[in-house]
Amino acid sequence: MRCTFVEFLVIYGLNIQLVLGSQRDWNSPNPTVFNIGGVLSSNDSEKYFKETIDHLNFDSQYVPKGVTYYHTAILMDPNPIRTALNVCKYLISSKVYAVVVSHPLTGDLSPAAVSYTSGFYHIPVIGISSRDSAFSDKNIHVSFLRTVPPYSHQADVWVEMLKHFNYKKVIFIHSSDTDGRALLGRFQTTSQSLEDDVDIKVQVESVIEFESGLDSFKDQLIDMKNAQARVYLMYASKMDAKVIFRDAATLNMTDAGYAWIVTEQALEADNAPEGILGLKLVNATNEKAHIRDSIYVLASALRDMNQSKEITEAPQDCDNSGSIWETGKDLFNFIRKQVLLNGETGKVAFDDQGDRINAEYNLINIQRKKKKVVVGKFFFKRAAKKEWTGLIGELVGERADLIVAPLTINPERAEFIEFSKPFKYQGITILEKKPSRSSTLVSFLQPFSNTLWILVMVSVHVVALVLYLLDRFSPFGRFKLANTDGTEEDALNLSSAIWFAWGVLLNSGIGEGTPRSFSARVLGMVWAGFAMIIVASYTANLAAFLVLERPKTKLTGINDARLRNTMENLTCATVKGSAVDMYFRRQVELSNMYRTMEANNYDTAETAINDVKHGKLMAFIWDSSRLEFEAAQDCELVTAGELFGRSGYGVGLQKGSPWSDDITLAILDFHERLKNMAGVFILVGAGIVGGIGLIVIEMAYKKHQIKKQKRMELARHAADKWRGAVEKRKSLRASSATQRRIKSNGVNDPVTISHVVDKYQRIGQIYGPERAWPGDTDIRQRRLDDTGGVQPVPRYLPAYTQDVSHLIV
């Protein structure tokens, strides 16, 4: 299968980004190439579609650095089956992230075929010309949005016209198709908002429903002529309107005194009577303008989604019937929330069904010679002729380079200035006067969560157990140490370890049972640091929780029925023209609430907060950061409910500012430096591991000492043995010398002499020195001094007396 160069770029776009040196953050899993599909009515529209996407890639406001958009477009086929097949063959196979669909020149089923095929995979489809109310049914067209409003939205304009002309009674005429019934339902819903105004009340006298393709309408017209109302609201196709106008003219019901207000299709009837009023959507047939708006809305949605969501690759195989693209659901919601203030077709915004809101209409009057004259315009009020004041005005007017302030990031401001990454995330909350509160008995437990309390309790006993084990098995901890006062300290048992751990945590004196080994003492020091942090955190938070204890509020939040119900006497307000005011304007589901608030809105937040304090205002809706600060400063104020409308504070810069990336990187760096309480538990764990490691080192060191001591004992034993041998040899030599000396003195029997000498030595030992052999005391004392208390055999016994012959028997 051959492919064009454009298709080649779409398929291999990621590799091209690598070659060109894209500045994409490769840590992000989101793709950098997005292919947009188009099903258009003509070659001219197809060409404009491709040119618009090519120019979009150079617009840094909508396309971040490193992101590229490609296009794949086909012509609309009048046959819906062939259209569906072409969508699979040319668009889904190219992995399109969204499809822009026009309307065929003939037939009207092909857009539905595109919606069915793409919606099966939840690929968003943006219609630029389909106005049938059936596309609003999200059970069938699950991913369909459109830059044109459905026909049923003309009921909003009818209500405003009735208010302007002060018409109070009408007859409603509509065909029995989907659009006719949807128009009636919207009219009834919208007209209910007029019931609060005593001076303006619209009563529908009767509702006439007819089948399409009628031949005569005279019977219904006769009933209408007999009714009181002379104002007719009619929805009918061009062919049905032609029949109704024909029969009404025969009954003179198109003359003066009758007012006809019709929809766009009825206005096209060639016999439309003079004087009727009809509506015409501005830019309804400007297909190029709608193509551009749809592409830029889609780019805005992908830009916002890329910052907060993971974007997966689009489906590419229609044969895989079980695959549903979850990213497509998120993308549909992001498109639905976009607001394009300066679109080619005006302000582009969507309601919950993805239908265009805030569309503009021309009020057409049929005058003489069937001339259609624009006699009025219907449009929604925009931001005043697009002039910004305050800090944003300074930035837009290029009188300032950046804004560093609590500046809320929102789509309206993002159209004119550039934001950095949020440096603080916040939302919208409600401030009210605090009701009376009741204290609780467990307020002292509030500074810590239940999980944190449990972790602290467990940590105490775990540390105590480890301290006991370290001190018990450490070779330096289980032996007693002698104190100077003669007493000895008991070893650390499990009870003492628990007492020590609790005593450190509660900052009480520890009089006994402290760790003795070095490993246990290291863990004890770490535990003391942990206790210091925990106690300091608890002490700091306890006072805040006791003083700022949140009582029950009157309101439960933005979804409180008393806020949503405009009939109840509850005053709420915000600041005019603020980011919060813009938020309420964007939210269709809050439109009823906003209409009530709009009359009460304040010029400044300070005035509104002061009125809340004095009870003049029941609820003030504003930025959560400011209101939480006010509630912390004044004990009589409190914020109600959960945050809603979450956004962020960012640094504002001029469009295309070169400082955007540097400021965003600096903000990201600040976010990465944040710490939390998990560190103290990591500290305790590290202390336990360190203590275990130290005891292993201590035991290894003790084993080394024991081995060294054994070696020293062996060496000492060998030295003593050697010394004994030397002494023995000396004794032998002394004995030999003694014997020779005895022989020289004439003593022939040394055994007898030794016997006599030993006898006298024993007598001296038994009876004392006075009974011993004369001269023995001095000799013995001299031997003790020489030998250190050991008494060897006398070495020079004959020297004690010169004549021993009288001792021989």
Side-chain angles (χ1 to χ4, degrees):
M1 175 180 173
R2 298 182 62 186
C3 62
T4 65
F5 181 69
V6 173
E7 292 170 338
F8 181 84
L9 292 180
V10 171
I11 298 173
Y12 298 99
L14 182 58
N15 295 332
I16 292 174
Q17 291 296 313
L18 287 170
V19 174
L20 295 178
S22 168
Q23 299 185 24
R24 176 195 179 193
D25 181 6
W26 294 106
N27 293 325
S28 171
N30 292 343
T32 58
V33 173
F34 298 99
N35 191 20
I36 309 302
V39 184
L40 305 170
S41 62
S42 64
N43 291 325
D44 191 34
S45 297
E46 181 181 352
K47 179 181 178 182
Y48 183 78
F49 173 79
K50 295 179 179 179
E51 291 175 351
T52 303
I53 293 181
D54 291 337
H55 285 89
L56 174 68
N57 288 316
F58 296 96
D59 194 339
S60 60
Q61 177 183 351
Y62 293 91
V63 182
K65 293 181 180 179
V67 175
T68 306
Y69 285 91
Y70 294 100
H71 45 71
T72 302
I74 60 175
L75 291 178
M76 176 77 71
D77 196 300
N79 188 317
I81 297 179
R82 284 198 296 265
T83 298
L85 294 176
N86 289 336
V87 168
C88 282
K89 182 177 180 181
Y90 297 106
L91 300 186
I92 296 180
S93 63
S94 299
K95 295 189 287 189
V96 294
Y97 283 79
V99 178
V100 178
V101 59
S102 181
H103 201 277
L105 298 179
T106 59
D108 56 358
L109 296 179
S110 294
V114 176
S115 177
Y116 294 149
T117 307
S118 302
F120 184 81
Y121 301 97
H122 287 274
I123 299 175
V125 178
I126 304 179
I128 61 174
S129 58
S130 301
R131 302 185 62 188
D132 296 343
S133 298
F135 286 101
S136 301
D137 187 354
K138 293 303 137 189
N139 294 320
I140 301 175
H141 301 278
V142 294
S143 61
F144 190 86
L145 307 97
R146 45 186 163 186
T147 59
V148 290
Y151 290 122
S152 60
H153 282 202
Q154 295 180 79
D156 300 341
V157 187
W158 283 358
V159 171
E160 295 297 325
M161 292 174 63
L162 295 176
K163 290 172 59 178
H164 177 76
F165 294 120
N166 198 21
Y167 293 153
K168 297 183 179 180
K169 186 172 290 188
V170 299
I171 293 177
F172 200 99
I173 310 166
H174 71 92
S175 58
S176 59
D177 55 13
T178 303
D179 287 301
R181 292 172 179 172
L183 184 71
L184 174 62
R186 190 172 183 95
F187 176 82
Q188 292 173 335
T189 302
T190 307
S191 61
Q192 290 178 358
S193 61
L194 301 180
E195 295 180 359
D196 294 336
D197 196 332
V198 179
D199 297 330
I200 303 176
K201 286 186 178 180
V202 177
Q203 178 184 356
V204 179
E205 185 174 355
S206 64
V207 176
I208 298 177
E209 181 177 335
F210 63 89
E211 293 291 335
S212 298
L214 49 83
D215 296 327
S216 175
F217 199 69
K218 283 187 177 180
D219 295 337
Q220 294 90 335
L221 288 173
I222 292 173
D223 294 336
M224 292 167 51
K225 193 170 184 179
N226 294 328
Q228 295 181 2
R230 291 293 183 264
V231 178
Y232 307 133
L233 306 179
M234 186 179 74
Y235 172 84
S237 65
K238 179 180 178 180
M239 298 304 297
D240 291 335
K242 186 175 181 179
V243 174
I244 295 173
F245 290 150
R246 181 198 65 192
D247 294 343
T250 59
L251 296 174
N252 299 322
M253 295 179 64
T254 58
D255 297 339
Y258 293 87
W260 290 79
I261 301 176
V262 300
T263 55
E264 296 183 45
Q265 303 96 316
L267 196 64
E268 298 299 323
D270 52 12
N271 62 340
E274 181 181 337
I276 71 169
L277 293 173
L279 300 177
K280 185 68 174 179
L281 180 66
V282 176
N283 294 318
T285 58
N286 190 348
E287 188 165 310
K288 291 184 178 180
H290 285 278
I291 289 175
R292 185 185 185 279
D293 286 352
S294 61
I295 291 174
Y296 275 82
V297 165
L298 177 60
S300 299
L302 285 171
R303 176 197 61 195
D304 296 345
M305 186 177 178
N306 193 43
Q307 296 175 354
S308 59
K309 288 281 188 178
E310 179 182 356
I311 302 177
T312 59
E313 197 173 57
Q316 61 175 344
D317 187 5
C318 281
D319 295 331
N320 187 3
S321 59
S323 175
I324 295 179
W325 189 35
E326 295 295 334
T327 296
K329 297 180 180 180
D330 295 332
L331 182 55
F332 174 85
N333 292 327
F334 272 89
I335 297 174
R336 185 171 51 84
K337 295 178 181 178
Q338 295 303 311
V339 177
L340 192 63
L341 292 177
N342 303 312
E344 293 291 325
T345 60
K347 181 181 178 181
V348 181
F350 305 94
D351 60 13
D352 289 341
Q353 285 70 40
D355 293 331
R356 169 76 175 270
I357 58 175
N358 299 337
E360 299 182 1
Y361 295 87
N362 285 331
L363 186 60
I364 306 296
N365 179 230
I366 302 295
Q367 298 182 358
R368 293 181 179 180
K369 298 181 180 180
K370 307 300 180 182
K371 185 178 181 181
K372 298 177 181 178
V373 179
V374 178
V375 294
K377 291 182 177 291
F378 177 85
F379 58 90
F380 286 83
K381 184 179 180 181
R382 302 184 184 182
K385 287 182 181 50
K386 302 175 183 178
E387 294 181 2
W388 292 89
T389 59
L391 293 175
I392 297 181
E394 296 293 315
L395 207 61
V396 173
E398 298 184 354
R399 295 183 292 273
D401 293 320
L402 58 93
I403 300 174
V404 181
L407 188 65
T408 303
I409 301 173
N410 60 28
E412 290 82 1
R413 292 170 175 171
E415 291 287 333
F416 298 92
I417 66 174
E418 191 166 333
F419 286 99
S420 69
K421 181 175 178 60
F423 59 82
K424 176 178 174 57
Y425 292 93
Q426 53 94 41
I428 304 173
T429 189
I430 304 170
L431 184 73
E432 65 178 15
K433 195 171 183 179
K434 184 183 295 184
S436 58
R437 66 177 185 179
S438 58
S439 61
T440 60
L441 297 178
V442 292
S443 298
F444 68 93
L445 296 177
Q446 291 180 351
F448 289 162
S449 64
N450 294 335
T451 303
L452 188 57
W453 279 119
I454 293 173
L455 289 175
V456 171
M457 297 298 106
V458 172
S459 299
V460 172
H461 297 90
V462 169
V463 170
L465 178 61
V466 176
L467 282 172
Y468 164 72
L469 295 176
L470 291 178
D471 218 47
R472 179 174 180 84
F473 292 102
S474 173
F476 301 101
R478 56 184 174 179
F479 299 105
K480 296 181 179 181
L481 300 177
N483 295 331
T484 57
D485 57 357
T487 62
E488 292 184 345
E489 183 181 1
D490 293 334
L492 184 70
N493 53 32
L494 182 59
S495 175
S496 300
I498 295 175
W499 176 257
F500 174 82
W502 275 106
V504 171
L505 181 64
L506 300 179
N507 199 21
S508 62
I510 307 298
E512 60 181 9
T514 58
R516 187 175 297 165
S517 65
F518 181 68
S519 56
R521 288 182 176 180
V522 168
L523 176 57
M525 289 186 291
V526 174
W527 177 246
F530 169 86
M532 178 186 67
I533 297 173
I534 289 294
V535 171
S537 301
Y538 176 80
T539 305
N541 292 332
L542 178 61
F545 272 91
L546 292 178
V547 174
L548 302 177
E549 184 181 3
R550 296 179 64 88
K552 293 183 179 179
T553 56
K554 299 177 183 177
L555 299 173
T556 59
I558 189 61
N559 294 320
D560 196 296
R562 289 168 291 179
L563 286 177
R564 296 297 184 97
N565 185 7
T566 58
M567 298 297 294
E568 188 171 342
N569 185 19
L570 188 148
T571 57
C572 59
T574 186
V575 176
K576 298 176 182 178
S578 63
V580 179
D581 188 31
M582 297 177 187
Y583 171 82
F584 276 91
R585 291 182 184 179
R586 290 195 303 267
Q587 304 302 316
V588 179
E589 66 273 12
L590 300 175
S591 57
N592 291 334
M593 178 180 173
Y594 178 70
R595 278 195 290 267
T596 303
M597 290 174 53
E598 193 172 14
N600 302 324
N601 285 345
Y602 287 77
D603 294 328
T604 62
E606 289 74 13
T607 306
I609 294 172
N610 187 63
D611 283 356
V612 172
K613 293 179 181 179
H614 293 86
K616 298 179 181 179
L617 179 64
M618 296 187 65
F620 176 54
I621 305 176
W622 192 240
D623 291 344
S624 60
S625 300
R626 174 67 185 278
L627 296 188
E628 288 170 358
F629 171 78
E630 294 291 341
Q633 295 295 314
D634 193 332
C635 295
E636 296 299 321
L637 299 178
V638 67
T639 56
E642 298 293 332
L643 299 184
F644 62 96
R646 295 180 183 270
S647 61
Y649 287 153
V651 176
L653 303 102
Q654 294 181 6
K655 279 293 183 182
S657 173
W659 304 103
S660 300
D661 294 339
D662 294 334
I663 292 177
T664 295
L665 290 175
I667 292 173
L668 290 174
D669 183 60
F670 284 135
H671 282 302
E672 292 172 356
R673 296 179 184 176
L674 299 177
K675 304 295 181 183
N676 53 32
M677 289 294 293
V680 296
F681 293 98
I682 296 175
L683 180 65
V684 173
I688 293 174
V689 174
I692 295 174
L694 285 174
I695 195 174
V696 172
I697 295 173
E698 288 179 348
M699 297 176 69
Y701 177 71
K702 186 63 178 181
K703 288 183 179 179
H704 174 73
Q705 279 190 328
I706 292 173
K707 290 181 180 179
K708 184 177 179 180
Q709 187 176 3
K710 286 182 178 180
R711 289 195 298 268
M712 292 296 294
E713 290 293 333
L714 290 175
R716 188 179 296 108
H717 179 72
D720 291 342
K721 187 176 181 181
W722 174 79
R723 190 179 297 110
V726 171
E727 291 293 334
K728 184 176 182 181
R729 285 195 296 270
K730 287 183 179 180
S731 300
L732 291 176
R733 286 195 297 269
S735 299
S736 298
T738 302
Q739 290 177 1
R740 287 193 297 270
R741 182 172 296 180
I742 292 173
K743 287 181 180 180
S744 64
N745 291 332
V747 180
N748 295 323
D749 192 359
V751 177
T752 304
I753 296 173
S754 299
H755 177 75
V756 174
V757 172
D758 289 341
K759 178 180 178 180
Y760 276 94
Q761 286 179 346
R762 288 194 294 272
I763 292 172
Q765 292 173 359
I766 296 173
Y767 297 102
E770 65 278 1
R771 304 275 308 266
W773 183 35
D776 181 65
T777 302
D778 295 335
I779 295 173
R780 186 171 65 250
Q781 183 64 34
R782 193 161 50 249
R783 287 203 307 267
L784 289 172
D785 294 338
D786 294 336
T787 62
V790 180
Q791 299 182 6
V793 179
R795 299 174 59 183
Y796 304 106
L797 183 63
Y800 296 148
T801 178
Q802 297 181 357
D803 188 6
V804 294
S805 59
H806 63 281
L807 297 176
I808 300 175
V809 180

